[in-house]
Coordinates of all heavy atoms in Angstrom, one line a residue:
F157 N -144.5 26.1 54.3 CA -145.2 24.9 53.9 C -146.6 24.9 54.6 O -147.6 24.6 53.9 CB -144.4 23.7 54.2 CG -143.5 23.3 53.1 CD1 -142.4 24.0 52.8 CD2 -143.8 22.2 52.3 CE1 -141.5 23.6 51.8 CE2 -143.0 21.8 51.2 CZ -141.8 22.6 51.0
K158 N -146.6 25.3 55.8 CA -147.9 25.3 56.6 C -148.9 26.2 55.9 O -150.1 26.0 55.9 CB -147.6 25.6 58.0 CG -148.8 25.5 58.9 CD -148.5 25.8 60.4 CE -149.7 25.7 61.2 NZ -149.4 26.0 62.6
S159 N -148.4 27.4 55.4 CA -149.2 28.4 54.8 C -149.9 27.9 53.5 O -151.0 28.4 53.1 CB -148.4 29.6 54.4 OG -147.6 29.5 53.3
V160 N -149.4 26.8 52.9 CA -150.0 26.2 51.7 C -150.6 24.8 52.0 O -150.9 24.1 51.1 CB -149.1 26.2 50.5 CG1 -148.8 27.6 50.0 CG2 -147.8 25.4 50.8
G161 N -150.7 24.5 53.3 CA -151.3 23.2 53.7 C -150.5 22.0 53.5 O -151.0 20.9 53.3
L162 N -149.1 22.1 53.5 CA -148.2 21.0 53.3 C -147.3 20.9 54.5 O -147.0 21.8 55.2 CB -147.4 21.1 52.0 CG -148.3 21.1 50.7 CD1 -147.4 21.5 49.5 CD2 -148.9 19.8 50.5
V163 N -146.7 19.7 54.6 CA -145.7 19.4 55.6 C -144.4 19.0 54.9 O -144.4 18.0 54.1 CB -146.1 18.3 56.6 CG1 -145.0 18.0 57.6 CG2 -147.4 18.7 57.3
P164 N -143.3 19.7 55.0 CA -142.1 19.4 54.3 C -141.4 18.1 54.9 O -141.5 17.9 56.1 CB -141.2 20.6 54.5 CG -141.6 21.1 55.8 CD -143.1 20.9 55.9
T165 N -140.8 17.4 54.0 CA -139.9 16.3 54.6 C -138.7 16.9 55.2 O -138.3 18.1 54.9 CB -139.5 15.3 53.4 OG1 -138.7 16.1 52.5 CG2 -140.7 14.7 52.7
A166 N -137.9 16.1 55.9 CA -136.7 16.6 56.5 C -135.7 17.0 55.4 O -134.9 17.9 55.5 CB -136.1 15.5 57.4
E167 N -135.7 16.2 54.3 CA -134.8 16.6 53.1 C -135.2 17.9 52.5 O -134.2 18.7 52.2 CB -135.0 15.5 52.0 CG -134.2 14.3 52.2 CD -134.1 13.5 50.9 OE1 -135.0 13.6 50.0 OE2 -133.2 12.7 50.8
I168 N -136.4 18.3 52.4 CA -136.8 19.6 51.9 C -136.3 20.7 52.8 O -135.7 21.7 52.3 CB -138.3 19.7 51.6 CG1 -138.7 18.8 50.4 CG2 -138.7 21.1 51.3 CD1 -140.2 18.7 50.2
V169 N -136.5 20.5 54.1 CA -136.0 21.5 55.1 C -134.5 21.6 54.9 O -134.0 22.8 54.9 CB -136.5 21.1 56.5 CG1 -135.8 22.0 57.5 CG2 -138.0 21.1 56.6
E170 N -133.8 20.5 54.8 CA -132.4 20.6 54.7 C -131.9 21.2 53.4 O -131.0 22.0 53.4 CB -131.8 19.2 54.8 CG -130.3 19.1 54.8 CD -129.8 17.7 55.1 OE1 -130.5 16.8 55.4 OE2 -128.5 17.5 54.9
L171 N -132.6 21.0 52.3 CA -132.3 21.6 51.0 C -132.4 23.1 51.2 O -131.5 23.9 50.8 CB -133.3 21.1 49.9 CG -133.1 21.8 48.6 CD1 -131.8 21.4 47.9 CD2 -134.3 21.4 47.7
Y172 N -133.5 23.6 51.8 CA -133.7 25.1 51.9 C -132.8 25.7 53.0 O -132.5 26.8 53.0 CB -135.1 25.4 52.2 CG -136.0 25.3 50.9 CD1 -137.0 24.4 50.9 CD2 -135.7 26.0 49.8 CE1 -137.8 24.2 49.7 CE2 -136.5 25.9 48.6 CZ -137.5 25.0 48.6 OH -138.3 24.8 47.5
N173 N -132.3 24.8 54.0 CA -131.3 25.3 54.9 C -130.0 25.5 54.2 O -129.3 26.5 54.5 CB -131.0 24.2 56.0 CG -132.1 24.0 57.0 OD1 -132.1 23.0 57.7 ND2 -133.1 24.9 57.1
W174 N -129.7 24.7 53.2 CA -128.5 24.8 52.4 C -128.5 26.0 51.5 O -127.6 26.8 51.4 CB -128.3 23.5 51.6 CG -127.0 23.4 50.9 CD1 -125.8 23.1 51.4 CD2 -126.8 23.7 49.5 NE1 -124.8 23.1 50.4 CE2 -125.4 23.5 49.2 CE3 -127.6 24.0 48.5 CZ2 -124.9 23.7 48.0 CZ3 -127.1 24.2 47.2 CH2 -125.7 24.0 47.0
S175 N -129.6 26.2 50.8 CA -129.8 27.4 49.9 C -131.3 27.6 49.6 O -132.0 26.6 49.4 CB -129.0 27.2 48.6 OG -129.3 28.3 47.7
N176 N -131.7 28.8 49.5 CA -133.0 29.2 49.1 C -133.0 29.4 47.6 O -133.6 30.3 47.1 CB -133.5 30.4 49.8 CG -135.0 30.7 49.5 OD1 -135.7 29.8 49.1 ND2 -135.4 32.0 49.6
G177 N -132.4 28.5 46.8 CA -132.4 28.5 45.4 C -131.8 29.8 44.8 O -131.1 30.5 45.5
V178 N -132.0 30.0 43.5 CA -131.4 31.1 42.8 C -132.3 32.4 43.0 O -133.5 32.3 43.3 CB -131.2 30.9 41.3 CG1 -130.2 29.7 41.1 CG2 -132.5 30.6 40.6
T179 N -131.6 33.5 42.9 CA -132.3 34.8 43.0 C -133.4 34.9 41.9 O -133.2 34.3 40.8 CB -131.4 36.0 42.8 OG1 -130.7 35.9 41.6 CG2 -130.4 36.1 44.0
E180 N -134.4 35.6 42.1 CA -135.5 35.8 41.1 C -135.4 37.0 40.3 O -136.4 37.6 39.9 CB -136.8 35.7 41.9 CG -137.0 34.3 42.6 CD -138.3 34.3 43.4 OE1 -139.3 34.8 43.0 OE2 -138.2 33.7 44.5
D181 N -134.2 37.5 40.1 CA -134.0 38.7 39.3 C -134.3 38.4 37.9 O -133.9 37.4 37.3 CB -132.5 39.2 39.4 CG -132.1 39.5 40.8 OD1 -133.0 39.8 41.6 OD2 -130.9 39.5 41.1
G182 N -134.9 39.4 37.2 CA -135.2 39.3 35.8 C -133.9 39.5 35.0 O -132.9 40.1 35.5
G183 N -133.8 39.0 33.8 CA -132.6 39.2 33.0 C -131.5 38.2 33.2 O -130.5 38.3 32.5
I184 N -131.6 37.3 34.1 CA -130.6 36.3 34.2 C -130.9 35.2 33.2 O -132.0 34.7 33.0 CB -130.6 35.6 35.6 CG1 -130.3 36.7 36.7 CG2 -129.6 34.5 35.7 CD1 -130.5 36.2 38.1
L185 N -129.8 34.8 32.5 CA -129.9 33.7 31.5 C -130.1 32.4 32.2 O -129.4 32.1 33.1 CB -128.7 33.7 30.6 CG -128.4 34.9 29.7 CD1 -127.1 34.8 29.0 CD2 -129.6 35.2 28.7
L186 N -131.0 31.6 31.7 CA -131.2 30.3 32.3 C -129.9 29.4 32.3 O -129.7 28.7 33.3 CB -132.3 29.5 31.6 CG -133.8 30.0 31.9 CD1 -134.8 29.3 31.0 CD2 -134.1 29.9 33.3
D187 N -129.2 29.5 31.2 CA -127.9 28.7 31.2 C -126.9 29.1 32.3 O -126.1 28.3 32.6 CB -127.3 28.8 29.8 CG -128.1 28.2 28.7 OD1 -128.7 27.1 29.0 OD2 -128.1 28.7 27.6
D188 N -127.1 30.3 32.8 CA -126.2 30.8 33.8 C -126.6 30.3 35.3 O -125.9 30.6 36.2 CB -126.1 32.3 33.8 CG -125.3 32.8 32.6 OD1 -124.6 32.0 32.0 OD2 -125.3 34.0 32.3
I189 N -127.7 29.7 35.4 CA -128.2 29.3 36.7 C -128.5 27.8 36.8 O -129.0 27.4 37.9 CB -129.4 30.1 37.2 CG1 -130.6 30.0 36.2 CG2 -129.1 31.6 37.4 CD1 -131.9 30.6 36.7
H190 N -128.1 27.0 35.8 CA -128.4 25.6 35.9 C -127.6 25.0 37.1 O -126.4 25.2 37.3 CB -128.0 24.9 34.6 CG -129.0 25.1 33.5 ND1 -128.7 24.9 32.2 CD2 -130.3 25.6 33.6 CE1 -129.8 25.2 31.5 NE2 -130.7 25.6 32.3

């Protein structure tokens, strides 16, 4: 966040502590990652 000039809320930090979202592999169907 600092690298883009932002400060994350505690909730955002906690969200990314829980998971860094879905993999960025190509070929994954959107319906499979909802």
